[in-house]
Amino acid sequence: MLSKLLFIVDDNCNNIDKNLIKKAYDMAYAAHKEQRRKSGEPYIIHPVEVACILAELGLDTATIAAGLLHDIIEDTEYTYKDISDIFGDEIADLVEGVTKLGEIEFKSKEEQQADNVRKMLLAMAKDIRVILIKLADRLHNMRTLKFMPVFKQKEKARETLDIYAPLAHRLGISKIKWELEDLSLRYLNPNQYYSLVKKIAEKRAEREENISKIVDSLQKSLASSGISAEIEGRPKHFYSIYNKMVKKNKTLDQIFDLTAIRILVDSISDCYAALGIVHTLYKPMPGRFKDYIAMPKPNMYQSLHSTVIGPQGKPFEIQIRTYEMHRTAEYGIAAHWKYKEGNISREDDLDSKLSWLRDVLEWQYETSDAEEFMEAFKIDLFSDEVFVFTPKGKVINLPYNSTPIDFAYRIHTDVGHRCVGAKVNGKMVPLDYRLKTGQIVEIITSPTFKGPSIDWLSIVNSNHAKSKIKSWFKKLNREENIVRGKELLEKESKKYGYYFSELAESKEMEKIFKKYAFKSMEDLYAAVGTGIVLASNIVVRLKDDYISDYEKNNNLLKQIESKAVSNNKARKKSNISHAVSVKGSNNIMVRFAKCCNPVPGDDIIGYITKGRGVSVHRKDCKNIARLMETEGEKIIEVSWENIKGSDYVTEIQVKADDRNGLLTEVMNTIIQSKAIICSVSANTDRNNIASINIKLKINDVAHLKSVSKKIKKIKGVIDVFRLNS
């Protein structure tokens, strides 16, 4: 195993201390010697394979050694100090950095996932090599995923496709990105994956023959023009093909770049000269040319792309780039270590390539909502870009669907704050105009403009712009916003029957503070007052925390229900005795039977009890039916009267397909319908069908029907019905 690693090191890396690599291997071997993987193989195979992947990327001694040791602190008795004493702080810090990342649990709560991603971003900012080790670790785990249970395979594959593959793409490491995507597809959609593999294999011989002819033709034409070039057929990765088929609803035969040629040349001028020769030999398809040399992608990718019509009338894609561009396309940020020469520093170059990471970090400090942060993070990883120009010809890349406001903030924060209008290609456009690649954008500013509008947050599409706008509002009129925020929270809390000051004193508020990163109540009030965080969002999430605790803590649930029952009894004492009339009698105490909870509009009947007056039941109550058979003489006619302003308790059950946020949406709907929730309980069966039992106070049957009708409109709700005895 060690010999394999050293062979890869010799073949790919520069200036490596092999003695230190051997020493790291010895420690890893000793630490893991009693451990085995799920496959039954010795555990040492995993850290060695991780180190091999890092060596293939051409990384430095410290990173390869840390790859060998990356599981030491987490899985063995070795400590940070043990590693530091033998290998120094640099390697110990890398190992500890990977250990602190832990596992991102895709199935966990949104805020837990957001917290893990934040940790990963901070680790990347401190030393980007930490995430390179983590990517190598994930890649080898995906290669050996077949030994895991099926549910674990899908869980890991989904996490890889959502987090790790996009990170590899953002770092420009296509060598890892493509393999992670293909392996994820294999486990997430095995039928589609193997069907695709089979279809592509069936026409491989025909494709390879066509590619060979095209390569020969291009080689002769380029040589005759004095251009030295390396030409090869480029295999298309399965996930990329599958993604295009799904997103664009195309068949395999309609994918243009299934057949692709890559031309590598010595210089940029040779790239454009080669493009001219290609377009002379083969007719280019309109709208299918992209110049990523003049306008590189944010992940440093550079190349010329053109789709042309081949000899048999079939389209194929040509990629033209220099050898240096190709190395960057394959290794991305790792090329910083693989191709730096001697002691020449490329720290400035590395820093510029990670500017996107600074933007994400800045944004994560500004946003406190976990869902909002994760959504923004995924947009940053996945989104396409548009390339626009300043009036002086500078290229500015922005996320797809960006507006002139996004452009203004990318130029400078003050330009964004003072933006009052914009011109695109010389013509005035509204500020919510969506920019397109190739346009020239000019921002009109005013020195007297008071700053951004809060509405801009719903217009802009870049996290950079959102961060600057939110930061501006945080500093503006803080005292006024604190007062306004407090009023909004109090008003929102009263909808749920609480005072916000009561909620703020509970231990649940600690969770809210942690989730939103507030340092004081004033921070919370100010955020709500500016509109950066909605009062409803704070209060609803606080209610979610309560509901979660109800399900986990029966004692707390009983306390809440007891409070609700006490309030209900108090209400009854004041008005219920006047809501029902007993035939032929006045001033007789009545009470509503809990077995059926009648409400105004129900057909009702009374039962004379011993010492507790008349018990009022619904006529369709099973209990009253039995009493009529056995104690018919105690049955008495009753009727509704003076019911205006009274509240009545009833219980309903909601059946729905279970999903995140279902319970919150149901409760919000009830509250918006002006019904009062007394208690809630919920469970989910094996078929993922949720049953939610809710006791609530309503005015009458018509009110109950209205509430039920609104609940039925919620996505995934199967049925809503009233519970009988």
Side-chain angles (χ1 to χ4, degrees), residues 41 79 212 325 338 401 411 417 559:
E41 297 174 320
T79 65
S212 179
M325 291 173 189
K338 185 174 175 65
N401 265 344
I411 298 300
H417 288 343
Q559 292 172 20

Side-chain angles (χ1 to χ4, degrees), residues 392-552:
K392 293 184 178 180
K394 182 181 177 182
V395 178
I396 303 292
N397 67 286
L398 295 164
Y400 184 73
N401 265 344
S402 287
T403 65
I405 303 173
D406 292 288
F407 177 89
Y409 278 104
R410 184 56 60 89
I411 298 300
H412 195 278
T413 302
D414 286 342
V415 174
H417 288 343
R418 293 187 286 110
C419 174
V420 293
K423 290 182 180 180
V424 171
N425 294 340
K427 295 181 179 179
M428 291 293 297
V429 296
L431 290 178
D432 62 355
Y433 176 84
R434 301 298 167 180
L435 299 174
K436 300 175 182 63
T437 293
Q439 292 178 327
I440 300 172
V441 184
E442 181 182 353
I443 299 299
I444 301 169
T445 62
S446 169
T448 59
F449 193 54
K450 295 181 180 179
S453 164
I454 195 69
D455 295 335
W456 287 7
L457 286 171
S458 62
I459 295 174
V460 297
N461 197 44
S462 65
N463 293 329
H464 177 78
K466 288 179 182 178
S467 172
K468 299 301 181 184
I469 294 168
K470 286 191 173 187
S471 180
W472 190 88
F473 277 104
K474 273 187 177 181
K475 298 173 184 176
L476 179 69
N477 301 329
R478 180 174 170 83
E479 293 302 322
E480 293 179 15
N481 288 325
I482 288 172
V483 173
R484 174 174 166 75
K486 189 172 184 179
E487 291 174 352
L488 290 171
L489 287 166
E490 289 289 0
K491 183 178 179 181
E492 189 67 26
S493 298
K494 287 178 181 177
K495 292 181 182 179
Y496 295 88
Y498 291 96
Y499 292 106
F500 186 73
S501 56
E502 178 184 2
L503 297 179
E505 291 175 0
S506 74
K507 64 178 183 179
E508 297 299 324
M509 183 53 69
E510 294 177 10
K511 295 181 181 180
I512 295 293
F513 266 57
K514 183 177 180 181
K515 186 183 295 183
Y516 288 88
F518 294 134
K519 295 180 181 179
S520 67
M521 287 298 293
E522 289 189 347
D523 287 345
L524 187 154
Y525 294 148
V528 173
T530 59
I532 292 173
V533 177
L534 296 177
S536 58
N537 207 3
I538 290 286
V539 176
V540 167
R541 288 179 181 277
L542 187 56
K543 287 288 291 178
D544 286 345
D545 285 333
Y546 277 129
I547 293 167
S548 176
D549 274 358
Y550 296 163
E551 294 169 350
K552 294 177 183 177

Side-chain angles (χ1 to χ4, degrees), residues 127-261:
D127 194 326
I128 195 69
R129 292 174 294 178
V130 169
I131 200 62
L132 299 181
I133 298 169
K134 192 66 181 174
L135 286 172
D137 172 55
R138 177 49 60 106
L139 178 55
H140 185 249
N141 283 334
M142 289 298 294
R143 287 174 178 174
T144 56
L145 200 57
K146 63 182 179 181
F147 298 106
M148 301 292 284
V150 173
F151 81 93
K152 203 70 176 177
Q153 290 175 355
K154 291 189 179 295
E155 185 180 298
K156 291 292 183 184
R158 171 52 58 193
E159 178 185 85
T160 298
L161 204 56
D162 278 358
I163 302 293
Y164 289 101
L167 265 176
H169 169 70
R170 210 62 170 83
L171 295 169
I173 313 173
S174 62
K175 191 176 180 69
I176 287 181
K177 177 215 176 192
W178 292 121
E179 190 174 354
L180 287 176
E181 289 180 336
D182 284 354
L183 287 168
S184 296
L185 177 63
R186 176 180 169 184
Y187 291 104
L188 286 174
N189 296 295
N191 293 335
Q192 292 94 326
Y193 175 81
Y194 288 111
S195 173
L196 195 58
V197 171
K198 182 181 177 183
K199 288 178 182 178
I200 291 174
E202 286 172 354
K203 296 186 178 183
R204 179 177 294 163
E206 178 187 343
R207 246 188 355 264
E208 288 179 349
E209 184 181 347
N210 290 336
I211 288 174
S212 179
K213 290 179 181 178
I214 294 169
V215 169
D216 289 342
S217 174
L218 285 170
Q219 197 77 63
K220 290 176 184 176
S221 296
L222 291 170
S224 65
S225 299
I227 299 174
S228 174
E230 184 180 317
I231 307 175
E232 59 185 4
R234 180 180 66 87
K236 190 70 177 175
H237 297 275
F238 297 120
Y239 180 76
S240 178
I241 298 169
Y242 169 79
N243 216 22
K244 286 190 176 182
M245 290 171 68
V246 171
K247 282 187 176 180
K248 299 182 180 179
N249 195 25
K250 291 186 175 183
T251 64
L252 190 62
D253 295 331
Q254 293 174 310
I255 305 295
F256 291 149
D257 53 356
L258 194 61
T259 300
I261 303 293

Side-chain angles (χ1 to χ4, degrees), residues 48-154:
V48 170
E49 288 297 329
V50 169
C52 286
I53 293 169
L54 296 169
E56 287 170 357
L57 293 174
L59 290 164
D60 60 336
T61 301
T63 311
I64 297 170
L68 285 166
L69 302 170
H70 77 276
D71 280 333
I72 288 268
I73 296 177
E74 185 177 3
D75 295 340
T76 76
E77 295 180 355
Y78 284 86
T79 65
Y80 173 90
K81 188 175 185 304
D82 294 331
I83 300 172
S84 179
D85 288 344
I86 297 172
F87 298 99
D89 289 347
E90 182 184 11
I91 292 175
D93 286 344
L94 288 172
V95 174
E96 186 183 46
V98 177
T99 303
K100 283 183 176 179
L101 291 182
E103 291 295 325
I104 298 175
E105 298 176 6
F106 182 74
K107 297 283 185 180
S108 65
K109 290 182 179 179
E110 192 77 8
E111 62 266 21
Q112 181 62 44
Q113 190 184 37
D115 187 56
N116 285 328
V117 171
R118 281 185 168 110
K119 277 197 288 185
M120 188 159 58
L121 291 171
L122 291 169
M124 289 166 64
K126 187 175 180 181
D127 194 326
I128 195 69
R129 292 174 294 178
V130 169
I131 200 62
L132 299 181
I133 298 169
K134 192 66 181 174
L135 286 172
D137 172 55
R138 177 49 60 106
L139 178 55
H140 185 249
N141 283 334
M142 289 298 294
R143 287 174 178 174
T144 56
L145 200 57
K146 63 182 179 181
F147 298 106
M148 301 292 284
V150 173
F151 81 93
K152 203 70 176 177
Q153 290 175 355
K154 291 189 179 295

